[in-house]
Amino acid sequence: MHDRRKSGDERIAEFLSERLRPALYPQRLPMDIGAWHIPGEPVPVSVALRADYAPFTVGEPWGSPWSTTWFRVGANVPARWAGRRVEALIDLGGDRGPAGGCQAEALVHDEHGIPLHGLHTHTCAVPVTASARGGEPVRLLLEAAANPTIDAATGSGLHYGDPVTAGDAPLYRFRRADLAVRDDDVWHLLHDMETLDGLMRALPAELPRRHRIRTALEQAVDAVDPDAVARTAAAARRVLAPVLAEGAHTSEQVFAGVGYAPLGFGGLWPLRETARGCARTFSTLVTLAEEYPELVVGASSAQHYAWMRDQQPHVFERLRKAVADGNWIPVGGTWVEPDVELAGGEALVRQFVLGRRFFRDELGADSEGAWLPGARGASAAFPQVAALAGARWLLARRPAAGYPASPTHHTFRWEGIDGTTLYTHLAPDSAALTSAETDFADTGSATTRSLLPLGRATEGPGRDTLERARRLADLAGSPRVAMRHPAQFFREAREEYPRPPVRRGGLDLAAHRGTYSGQARTKRGNRRSEVLLHEAELWSATAAVRHGVPYPYDELDALWRRVLLQQSQSILSGSSIAWVHEDTEHEHRDLHRRLTRLVRRAVGEPDGAVVWNAAPHPRREVVTLDAGTGQPSDTAQVLPDGRLAVLADAPALGAGLTGLPLDRTPRVTAHTTVDGQQVLDNGLLRVRVDASGLVRSAVDLATGRDALAPDGAGNLLQLLRGEQGQDLLGADRIELLARGPLLATVRVRRGTGRSTFVQDLTLTAGSHALTVDTEVDWRERDTVLKLAWPLDVHAELGHADVQFGHVARPTHESADGSSPEFAAHRWIHVAEHRWGVALATDSTYGHDVSRHTRDGGGTTTVVRHTLLHPTNGADPYADRGLHRFRHTLRPGATLGDAITEGYAVNLPLRPGPATGAQPPLVRVDHPDVVVETVKLADDRSGDVVVRLYEARGGRTHAVLCADFAVEGVHETDLLEEHPTARTHRHGRVPLTLRPFQIRTLRLRRAGQRQEDSDGD
């Protein structure tokens, strides 16, 4: 009998845990176990099928960190179990370990090696048969991964993902491998009671509905005989039937449930483990979809599916069937869920292009929405990019309660910088439907609908979640939960809420904690990869059109996919474990080698006579040639390290000559004053560097304005430790390396006793900007490194470069005197009426801008680049070692100058062979219209594709001119589809662009024939 002296809530909880759950599997049979331990890299199942397995018993330890153990388990179903549901209960012991919690998972195969199901932290039951024959053998093969759990926020865990120092002590102890009968009456009673119990606890105490539910639950407890739970469970279900049958009120909140598992990429596992985890999760979910036909799974990232196609073809075929049956929805249309604040503009385009094409070609599916439930934030350029790729809506995650930037509304129209809007919904974190109170809180929305991702961590929804969802479909007192295709949810939301509020600018959804600057080598490698891909496509297209060189379609496509994979949220933000970032840096180095080879194949090996300009603006500037490239002459300057400085002139997107005479270009001079200061002057800019290596003056000679604030020190390195700050004011050594006439450089060395800093401050003939190259050997802990410039500018706003445009941010300080960090790509511009300063960067993303009033009047605007910001999370040793950064300071700069400077810093002139000047394939007659990409069409038709955009923020009329015979011109979407004919005459295409508008044009070459790839 049940103890009636306890409260009703206590009796219900005790009954669930001590009576009902133990009765769920009334009959069990231990399975035989064999084990094969693999300490190194995983092996395919074909190898495991032929391996020798040693006897293994329950209770034995297994799983050294990052290793794999293959288990072979087996038993015969007893004859008396005929007609019963049989499951294999396997507990790998993965919720305990020396790291304070470990995650042991496995992919379960049948005896032939075909994947069946995943084993996860909360999913230990593997379906064997819904109705046993009795006597049949059960033979399973388990690929178990011994992956330690690491806390991304604190870095606590086992060796931070380092495979070398992790050791070989086992992490887990195998707990169970049983063949068991599941009692269906107990199963359903358990979920009836848990659903009602959760609802009861969430309802206000004064509601009669709460008391009716408690009474019914207590009566159900009384209806069950503790000595015959299975036999009396059906009677208890009949007691609960009336309260379960009470339907929800029509005004109740409606949650559109969609199965979701935030698999991610990298993160706290290396990519090899992410791919294996994907196979486990997908196997589990497609099995669930077969058992629960109402289930709708929304899974993004084409890369996950590509892994399944290439590594797990059986899983992939099951996925294709689930897609065809409508249970599985490839959502989002991107290659991975990218970091949409830090990925470059063309990279965001390719995320959609490659992702949507994969979904259509391999799965016969398409996506009309964007899917970013893991995003910390999103760039204001994203709505236009997504819309041009076919997206009509966006799903992102809801900020945590109390987050300062949390939107007032969860459903709104998000307007980007060009005026494009996306119907946007912020969904709560994925839920397991464990209680109405925690899963169903929804405020600040004028609509009664919300999309609810269902699932846990990397597992997705389990059977428990789906059973509760069935009961919550129409249950009085609870919001209604109904499985919905995400597109259907957005259609219904639009019908109910056709005119939601508009939110403009970027989305800020979570604290970043150094993600704009942490793991600087990963970020620099990404930026360099984007630049080289731009060059490889541009010069390969030029070589194909000019000289008939085969265009490397296949190789470029493969390289883009590799770069896009490394732009996932966890990797590009810098929040992954050390192992992931080490792999990423290796991947970037290999990408750079391959892309450089493609570029050189297109332009030739350099000899210094010609330079190729991949930037969208013409340039006349000094370029340095490596030693042995080019010949000394009276127009060249020999540098101390053997390199040559020469003056070059090149058109936008074309090639020009080097070794030009200075003629009217004033020489740069350098001299040391009596008080030890270095003065660099080129007739356009005069820079004064003091004896500590700080820039005390940078005068724009055209106006006489000094960019530096009075008594201000530019090029100031700052160390920040918590609330404490330290300015590096002293220098160990300063030397004048080069004195002109083409190039003058001051080298500054300084250190902290642990870290060292070497900076080259360079001014060249004809340049309006000072270049600062910073090399850091970083050995600090819990410290942020910034580069500060106090500018004599009264700036209300700072303009920051984002993909395909820029955004304005207030320069005022916050109430506590701090200035929030924000993301900018290539440049920042601060200005007052008629005069401003541009600062450009080749790899830094994190910046802050603040404004201060000086004593006695005047305003100082301080711009700081965050060079290093270790997150001290999953990789506490992040950013140790050598780093290189390049920044430029351009006084007297307009917004257009800032754009030009940003492209120039990121796309240095490339030396080529003595082939003479080369005009560009295309050019635009207006400086505000920027050509971002030139390539050949992906359909291999030979069409030249040009992507351009308005960069200043104003309506512009321009003409695109092609330097080849043009037969036809069409405007397309980003996928180079849905063409609209455009007027043209002799290769001239008139264009009108609204502010920040992106246009993609296909130019059909006259007389061209279908091209084949070169087979790369």
Side-chain angles (χ1 to χ4, degrees):
M1 297 294 293
H2 304 295
D3 190 348
R4 293 183 175 273
R5 292 172 298 178
K6 295 183 178 180
S7 70
D9 290 355
E10 290 175 325
R11 289 183 64 224
I12 294 166
E14 182 182 275
F15 175 76
L16 287 170
S17 63
E18 297 183 11
R19 295 292 183 185
L20 207 52
R21 283 199 172 277
L24 185 57
Y25 294 101
Q27 301 177 53
R28 305 188 185 198
L29 176 68
M31 304 178 80
D32 296 326
I33 310 172
W36 180 46
H37 304 287
I38 307 174
E41 289 295 305
V43 301
V45 67
S46 59
V47 176
L49 287 169
R50 301 191 303 268
D52 293 327
Y53 287 77
F56 190 89
T57 59
V58 169
E60 283 192 57
W62 71 277
S64 60
W66 305 111
S67 69
T68 299
T69 296
W70 286 86
F71 292 104
R72 179 175 281 164
V73 299
N76 294 329
V77 177
R80 66 182 182 278
W81 290 3
R84 306 292 297 276
R85 180 185 175 101
V86 177
E87 298 181 347
L89 305 182
I90 302 172
D91 188 343
L92 300 171
D95 57 347
R96 297 176 184 174
C102 295
Q103 190 166 357
E105 296 190 350
L107 179 60
V108 180
H109 306 74
D110 69 11
E111 59 184 327
H112 304 294
I114 297 175
L116 300 175
H117 201 278
L119 287 177
H120 312 274
T121 304
H122 299 92
T123 305
C124 297
V126 178
V128 172
T129 177
S131 180
R133 298 190 312 272
E136 64 263 43
V138 177
R139 304 289 183 265
L140 302 176
L141 196 61
L142 282 57
E143 181 188 15
N147 297 334
T149 291
I150 300 164
D151 189 319
T154 65
S156 64
L158 187 63
H159 300 282
Y160 313 103
D162 185 342
V164 177
T165 62
D168 56 5
L171 293 174
Y172 321 114
R173 193 171 295 277
F174 200 108
R175 292 203 189 107
R176 180 175 61 193
D178 294 337
L179 206 59
V181 168
R182 192 187 82 180
D183 189 287
D184 283 343
D185 283 335
V186 174
W187 169 262
H188 290 296
L189 176 61
L190 177 66
H191 291 97
D192 288 346
M193 295 192 67
E194 287 187 338
T195 302
L196 289 171
D197 184 56
L199 176 59
M200 177 193 69
R201 296 173 189 275
L203 291 173
E206 65 274 10
L207 286 185
R209 170 72 167 160
R210 175 176 179 137
H211 297 288
R212 288 199 303 273
I213 293 174
R214 174 182 283 112
T215 299
L217 288 171
E218 291 176 346
Q219 291 173 347
V221 170
D222 292 336
V224 174
D225 183 347
D227 298 322
V229 174
R231 182 167 52 81
T232 54
R237 292 199 70 202
R238 289 192 291 272
V239 171
L240 297 176
V243 289
L244 283 168
E246 291 185 42
H249 193 274
T250 56
S251 63
E252 293 284 3
Q253 182 84 13
V254 178
F255 282 90
V258 58
Y260 172 63
L263 292 166
F265 293 87
L268 305 183
W269 288 354
L271 286 177
R272 80 165 199 205
E273 293 304 319
T274 303
R276 293 208 293 172
C278 184
R280 296 190 289 266
T281 300
F282 282 7
S283 295
T284 299
L285 292 178
V286 292
T287 300
L288 278 176
E290 294 163 0
E291 186 176 349
Y292 293 85
E294 74 272 21
L295 174 62
V296 175
V297 176
S300 66
S301 301
Q303 176 66 79
H304 287 149
Y305 298 89
W307 276 335
M308 296 304 96
R309 179 196 62 188
D310 299 337
Q311 300 177 22
Q312 296 286 355
H314 290 288
V315 176
F316 187 68
E317 288 307 312
R318 294 180 72 193
L319 286 171
R320 293 181 64 180
K321 182 180 183 303
V323 171
D325 292 343
N327 295 110
W328 197 283
I329 313 298
V331 292
T334 52
W335 190 250
V336 301
E337 288 182 28
D339 188 314
V340 293
E341 291 184 284
L342 303 185
E346 189 62 24
L348 285 184
V349 169
R350 302 307 174 90
Q351 288 282 359
F352 281 105
V353 170
L354 294 176
R356 286 194 62 192
R357 283 187 183 148
F358 185 93
F359 286 162
R360 291 192 311 196
D361 296 346
E362 299 289 347
L363 296 167
D366 208 343
S367 177
E368 64 177 44
W371 183 270
L372 299 172
R376 295 179 177 88
S379 162
F382 185 77
Q384 181 181 195
V385 174
L388 288 173
R392 300 175 57 202
W393 50 262
L394 166 69
L395 177 84
R397 70 171 172 181
R398 189 169 303 173
Y403 183 65
S406 179
T408 305
H409 299 275
H410 299 148
T411 302
F412 52 88
R413 295 197 74 87
W414 177 25
E415 181 179 309
I417 54 176
D418 74 309
T420 299
T421 62
L422 283 179
Y423 198 96
T424 300
H425 180 71
L426 305 183
D429 284 339
S430 58
L433 297 181
T434 53
S435 78
E437 183 177 18
T438 56
D439 292 335
F440 295 159
D442 187 47
T443 59
S445 178
T447 177
T448 63
R449 299 181 184 277
S450 184
L451 192 145
L452 183 67
L454 299 176
R456 289 188 180 95
T458 61
E459 299 180 35
R463 290 173 179 81
D464 290 346
T465 300
L466 297 176
E467 288 289 347
R468 293 182 192 118
R470 282 180 169 179
R471 288 157 177 80
L472 294 171
D474 189 16
L475 184 61
S478 167
R480 288 175 289 169
V481 177
M483 290 292 172
R484 287 286 190 276
H485 189 302
Q488 180 183 354
F489 161 78
F490 277 94
R491 286 193 296 271
E492 293 172 350
R494 280 197 196 95
E495 292 172 0
E496 181 187 37
Y497 199 26
R499 300 183 65 85
V502 175
R503 179 182 174 91
R504 296 179 174 87
L507 290 183
D508 185 7
L509 301 175
H512 288 81
R513 299 188 182 92
T515 56
Y516 292 146
S517 305
Q519 295 288 357
R521 278 183 292 270
T522 292
K523 290 177 170 61
R524 182 176 184 82
N526 171 73
R527 181 80 68 90
R528 186 66 183 149
S529 297
E530 292 177 340
V531 163
L532 286 170
L533 278 164
H534 168 82
E535 285 198 82
E537 290 186 327
L538 169 63
W539 302 136
S540 295
T542 301
V545 174
R546 295 266 190 254
H547 310 295
V549 177
Y551 190 79
Y553 293 101
D554 293 335
E555 189 167 0
L556 283 170
D557 185 74
L559 293 171
W560 263 117
R561 292 168 193 255
R562 291 172 61 184
V563 171
L564 298 181
L565 171 55
Q566 306 304 324
Q567 292 185 339
S568 69
Q569 285 280 342
S570 297
I571 297 175
L572 190 51
S573 70
S575 56
S576 296
I577 58 175
W579 188 350
V580 170
H581 287 289
E582 289 168 5
D583 286 349
T584 297
E585 291 166 23
H586 175 79
E587 179 77 348
H588 281 153
R589 287 192 293 270
D590 185 63
L591 285 164
H592 299 168
R593 285 192 296 267
R594 293 175 182 274
L595 286 165
T596 299
R597 187 171 65 244
L598 279 182
V599 170
R600 289 188 172 176
R601 190 181 74 171
V603 304
E605 293 296 326
D607 65 10
V610 167
V611 288
W612 293 77
N613 176 22
H617 303 95
R619 296 157 73 176
R620 181 180 176 87
E621 64 186 53
V622 173
V623 63
T624 57
L625 305 176
D626 291 338
T629 303
Q631 299 295 323
S633 67
D634 56 359
T635 62
Q637 176 186 344
V638 181
L639 303 179
D641 59 4
R643 294 181 300 159
L644 290 180
V646 295
L647 184 63
D649 194 313
L653 311 175
L657 302 178
T658 68
L660 304 178
L662 284 173
D663 292 338
R664 297 179 184 178
T665 304
R667 299 182 172 207
V668 64
T669 63
H671 68 274
T672 305
T673 64
V674 293
D675 59 353
Q677 299 191 71
Q678 310 294 332
V679 179
L680 312 179
D681 191 328
N682 68 356
L684 301 170
L685 182 63
R686 182 184 300 123
V687 178
R688 180 166 55 89
V689 183
D690 71 9
S692 297
L694 302 175
V695 176
R696 293 294 180 176
S697 176
V699 178
D700 170 26
L701 296 177
T703 61
R705 283 281 303 265
D706 193 342
L708 274 296
D711 300 322
N715 190 43
L716 176 63
L717 293 172
Q718 297 178 319
L719 302 179
L720 307 179
R721 300 182 181 92
E723 301 298 324
Q724 304 298 316
Q726 175 188 355
D727 294 341
L728 300 184
L729 300 174
D732 299 330
R733 184 180 178 185
I734 296 180
E735 53 186 325
L736 190 57
L737 292 184
R739 298 174 178 271
L742 291 171
L743 179 150
T745 299
V746 176
R747 175 164 291 176
V748 181
R749 299 177 184 271
R750 61 179 99 242
T752 65
R754 291 179 298 274
S755 301
T756 59
F757 310 87
V758 179
Q759 292 184 293
D760 286 349
L761 286 70
T762 300
L763 187 63
T764 59
S767 175
H768 293 269
L770 173 70
T771 299
V772 180
D773 289 300
T774 303
E775 181 179 281
V776 180
D777 188 0
W778 187 247
R779 304 295 169 183
E780 309 295 324
R781 288 288 305 272
D782 303 321
T783 303
V784 178
L785 176 65
K786 290 181 177 279
L787 178 63
W789 296 92
L791 305 174
D792 190 13
V793 178
H794 184 88
E796 292 284 343
L797 299 171
H799 288 85
D801 176 52
V802 297
Q803 306 94 331
F804 299 110
H806 59 266
V807 295
R809 296 179 177 275
T811 59
H812 299 293
E813 292 179 288
S814 62
D816 62 0
S818 65
S819 180
E821 187 173 80
F822 59 87
H825 282 233
R826 291 169 291 219
W827 55 266
I828 292 176
H829 183 257
V830 292
E832 59 191 46
H833 183 52
R834 295 182 180 174
W835 200 85
V837 178
L839 298 104
T841 171
D842 72 339
S843 59
T844 302
Y845 291 92
H847 306 81
D848 62 80
V849 180
S850 59
R851 205 178 79 180
H852 312 271
T853 302
R854 300 193 291 263
D855 293 340
T859 303
T860 297
T861 299
V862 179
V863 178
R864 298 194 301 178
H865 311 289
T866 305
L867 305 188
L868 298 169
H869 190 161
T871 59
N872 201 28
D875 179 9
Y877 300 102
D879 291 320
R880 294 291 184 89
L882 197 64
H883 300 271
R884 293 182 176 87
F885 307 91
R886 172 167 286 185
H887 298 84
T888 63
L889 172 77
R890 181 166 178 167
T894 65
L895 205 54
D897 295 332
I899 296 167
T900 301
E901 193 66 31
Y903 274 104
V905 170
N906 283 271
L907 291 162
L909 294 174
R910 176 178 292 276
T915 55
Q918 300 283 331
L921 284 184
V922 295
R923 60 183 176 85
V924 180
D925 69 352
H926 200 294
D928 294 353
V929 178
V930 171
V931 175
E932 181 71 10
T933 297
V934 178
K935 59 188 286 292
L936 294 194
D938 293 340
D939 63 4
R940 309 192 182 201
S941 63
D943 291 356
V944 175
V945 172
V946 180
R947 190 155 18 254
L948 44 77
Y949 70 102
E950 196 287 319
R952 287 287 297 273
R955 184 173 294 273
T956 302
H957 302 283
V959 176
L960 174 72
C961 303
D963 193 51
F964 54 87
V966 176
E967 185 177 277
V969 179
H970 291 84
E971 184 170 352
T972 72
D973 60 15
L974 296 184
L975 279 72
E976 303 168 14
E977 298 172 348
H978 304 105
T980 301
R982 298 301 308 265
T983 59
H984 68 98
R985 184 171 182 177
H986 305 303
R988 296 171 59 85
V989 186
L991 299 168
T992 298
L993 292 90
R994 67 176 182 268
F996 303 124
Q997 185 179 10
I998 304 167
R999 308 287 282 272
T1000 301
L1001 301 174
R1002 287 185 66 139
L1003 282 64
R1004 180 74 176 177
R1005 289 187 278 153
Q1008 73 187 44
R1009 60 183 179 83
Q1010 190 81 6
E1011 296 188 2
D1012 295 322
S1013 87
D1014 59 0
D1016 287 333

